[in-house]
Amino acid sequence: MSCEKKWIFVLLFVMALMMFSFCWYNMRSITWHPSLVFHCNSQPTINYVNTSSQFDLLKQDFLHRMLYEKPNALSPPRSDVLMMTPWFAPIVWNGTYNIDILNTQFHQKNVSIGITVFAIKKYTVFIKTFIETAEKFFMVGHKVNYYIFTDRVGDIPNITLGEGRQLVILEVPSYKRWQEVSMRRMEMIRDHARQRFVNEVDYLVCVDVDMMFSDDVGVEILSHSFGTLHPSFYAASRTRFTYERRQQSTAYIPTDEGDFYYAGGNFGGTVEEVYKLTNFCHNAMMTDKGNNIEAIWHDESYLNKYFLYHKPTKILSPEYLWPTNFGAPAFLKRRRFAAIPKNHNAIRNKRALRDYSRNKQKFHR
Ligand code: 5GW
Ligand code: MN
């Protein structure tokens, strides 16, 4: 090869190299645009723009600017208590949530809350304090219906309520045995849930009446379904839980099962979930009744059985059910819903007193 030709080849090679590097450099910054894509086979085109979807009606909720301390992934707000169950249900303790965020969210959904309470026979004496303290502390700023189940309509006092709050008196039969009075709550809540509550409220909160609100109880408690840690057993071992232990009962829970011991005096959820819960408990009770057995702690035992296999989506700490005479351990920053010490002699009949203290002595509660 002559010297001249050799140089031409070298020149061509250098030029090709330059062109290649130029192209490569420029390609890097190309942002791909659909027009750059070549379609190999033509699919029939679907006009997505004109087809309607249920999503077209979606309303976009959003929060306004809010100022609050940033959550810190490495420093939990509480390290002295369990804040989450193994099935990722939050346990509601003071300091773990921001009520302003929650209130804004629940106001946007325009939620209404029904609170069911039973005042059968002499228990009507508790109604006044219950409602008056609820007006101060229960779901303030939200729509609330009080559903009072009673056999003594005339004994329910007239109480002026705040805006968006109303009192509904539901006349129901009373039962002779006190156990039945307590247990039949499940049936009555169930029946009214499907007939009435479902048309009137979004959530139900089902509580004892021998109680008073002494601090805020708000939308932080609301969830699909929720139960409350019993103030006598929040730290107890499984074997100490007073679940029903007789295998013949539908409420039976063996000693190697169970997450928490839930209190019969405060549970709730959406109307649909409370329907399912109360329906289960009532049917289980009826099955047991047919077999001549009644669970040790009545409705509470059936509630605990339900929550074992239908895990609640939120759990309330004992802040939400604390007996006034229990004192205040360090972890209990607030006492929101307090059990009033009862003058048992005045409020219960002799037989009830005897049955009750027998059980209480047996289980130290
Ligand atoms: C009466 C005697 C013994 C036990 C319960 C009652 C009773 C309960 C009653 O005569 N009337 C009545 O309305 N109840 C309802 O059942 C109340 O809503 C009460 O809060 C609930 C549970 O009974 P408590 O509160 O006496 O049960 P503990 O376990 O909270 O003491
Ligand atoms: Mn009670």
Side-chain angles (χ1 to χ4, degrees):
M1 204 188 282
S2 72
C3 192
E4 218 171 90
K5 268 189 179 164
K6 204 163 119 192
W7 277 111
I8 286 169
F9 273 116
V10 169
L11 206 69
L12 277 170
F13 179 75
V14 169
M15 276 171 73
L17 207 70
M18 279 168 73
M19 272 172 73
F20 174 77
S21 57
F22 176 81
C23 288
W24 180 78
Y25 183 80
N26 282 291
M27 288 280 280
R28 282 194 323 175
S29 58
I30 284 178
T31 46
W32 285 97
H33 188 269
S35 65
L36 293 172
V37 179
F38 298 97
H39 295 277
C40 299
N41 57 345
S42 55
Q43 296 273 337
T45 45
I46 301 165
N47 190 351
Y48 286 108
V49 182
N50 288 333
T51 44
S52 66
S53 155
Q54 66 195 62
F55 290 169
D56 297 343
L57 300 170
L58 281 184
K59 200 176 112 241
Q60 200 61 262
D61 279 344
F62 57 90
L63 297 172
H64 52 81
R65 171 177 155 82
M66 293 173 91
L67 298 176
Y68 51 85
E69 213 177 296
K70 184 188 80 72
N72 186 339
L74 297 183
S75 134
R78 293 287 295 261
S79 51
D80 57 337
V81 291
L82 184 69
M83 291 196 293
M84 184 76 89
T85 68
W87 58 94
F88 280 152
I91 306 177
V92 188
W93 296 94
N94 185 53
T96 60
Y97 61 90
N98 180 324
I99 194 62
D100 299 325
I101 299 176
L102 292 173
N103 272 330
T104 310
Q105 290 176 328
F106 279 86
H107 275 305
Q108 277 177 350
K109 287 187 226 144
N110 196 23
V111 296
S112 52
I113 303 111
I115 180 162
T116 67
V117 84
F118 286 74
I120 309 291
K121 297 180 217 174
K122 290 183 187 168
Y123 275 58
T124 49
V125 296
F126 293 110
I127 287 292
K128 190 166 188 288
T129 306
F130 181 90
I131 306 279
E132 280 175 357
T133 56
E135 283 294 288
K136 275 201 200 123
F137 296 114
F138 183 73
M139 302 286 170
V140 176
H142 296 272
K143 286 191 275 174
V144 171
N145 282 7
Y146 296 97
Y147 295 113
I148 317 261
F149 294 76
T150 187
D151 60 331
R152 298 183 181 181
V153 175
D155 287 2
I156 307 301
N158 229 335
I159 300 166
T160 340
L161 304 176
E163 201 193 315
R165 306 171 78 96
Q166 51 179 322
L167 200 142
V168 180
I169 299 174
L170 303 164
E171 191 169 6
V172 290
S174 91
Y175 287 87
K176 214 168 161 198
R177 293 176 60 244
W178 68 268
Q179 295 91 336
E180 196 99 347
V181 169
S182 187
M183 291 202 298
R184 288 284 172 170
R185 292 185 290 175
M186 292 297 186
E187 181 186 27
M188 294 187 222
I189 294 170
R190 177 196 71 179
D191 293 346
H192 285 78
R194 60 190 289 275
Q195 297 291 0
R196 175 164 194 161
F197 303 154
V198 68
N199 302 315
E200 298 182 354
V201 290
D202 302 304
Y203 292 94
L204 285 173
V205 179
C206 308
V207 293
D208 267 15
V209 73
D210 55 336
M211 307 286 301
M212 64 181 285
F213 292 87
S214 45
D215 205 338
D216 297 332
V217 174
V219 294
E220 76 278 4
I221 70 167
L222 300 179
S223 190
H224 218 54
S225 67
F226 65 84
T228 305
L229 301 183
H230 194 291
S232 301
F233 302 101
Y234 54 83
S237 65
R238 270 180 181 155
T239 48
R240 282 244 303 119
F241 288 163
T242 54
Y243 293 148
E244 174 55 62
R245 300 301 190 186
R246 291 167 296 175
Q247 284 190 44
Q248 307 91 283
S249 170
T250 52
Y252 169 67
I253 299 176
T255 48
D256 57 355
E257 285 183 77
D259 307 296
F260 303 104
Y261 190 79
Y262 302 98
N266 192 355
F267 65 88
T270 60
V271 177
E272 190 177 317
E273 285 307 307
V274 170
Y275 171 80
K276 289 192 219 162
L277 180 157
T278 50
N279 188 43
F280 168 90
C281 291
H282 179 65
N283 290 340
M285 280 171 201
M286 287 299 111
T287 304
D288 277 5
K289 202 182 171 74
N291 294 324
N292 253 318
I293 190 166
E294 190 172 84
I296 177 89
W297 285 103
H298 322 108
D299 39 299
E300 191 171 79
S301 306
Y302 299 96
L303 178 75
N304 273 281
K305 182 65 178 274
Y306 183 80
F307 277 151
L308 174 60
Y309 299 131
H310 308 81
K311 307 255 189 251
T313 55
K314 205 177 250 188
I315 292 179
L316 310 187
S317 71
E319 293 170 16
Y320 294 88
L321 210 173
W322 193 257
T324 22
N325 52 347
F326 264 32
F331 67 83
L332 204 76
K333 308 292 182 207
R334 294 165 89 172
R335 283 172 285 178
R336 305 163 187 269
F337 191 42
I340 298 169
K342 284 186 283 281
N343 178 354
H344 286 98
N345 295 317
I347 211 85
R348 290 176 172 172
N349 63 31
K350 277 202 197 105
R351 172 125 162 239
L353 275 168
R354 200 188 52 224
D355 295 349
Y356 206 78
S357 57
R358 258 193 212 146
N359 260 1
K360 287 228 168 178
Q361 273 163 22
K362 209 158 124 197
F363 296 102
H364 321 284
R365 48 186 273 180

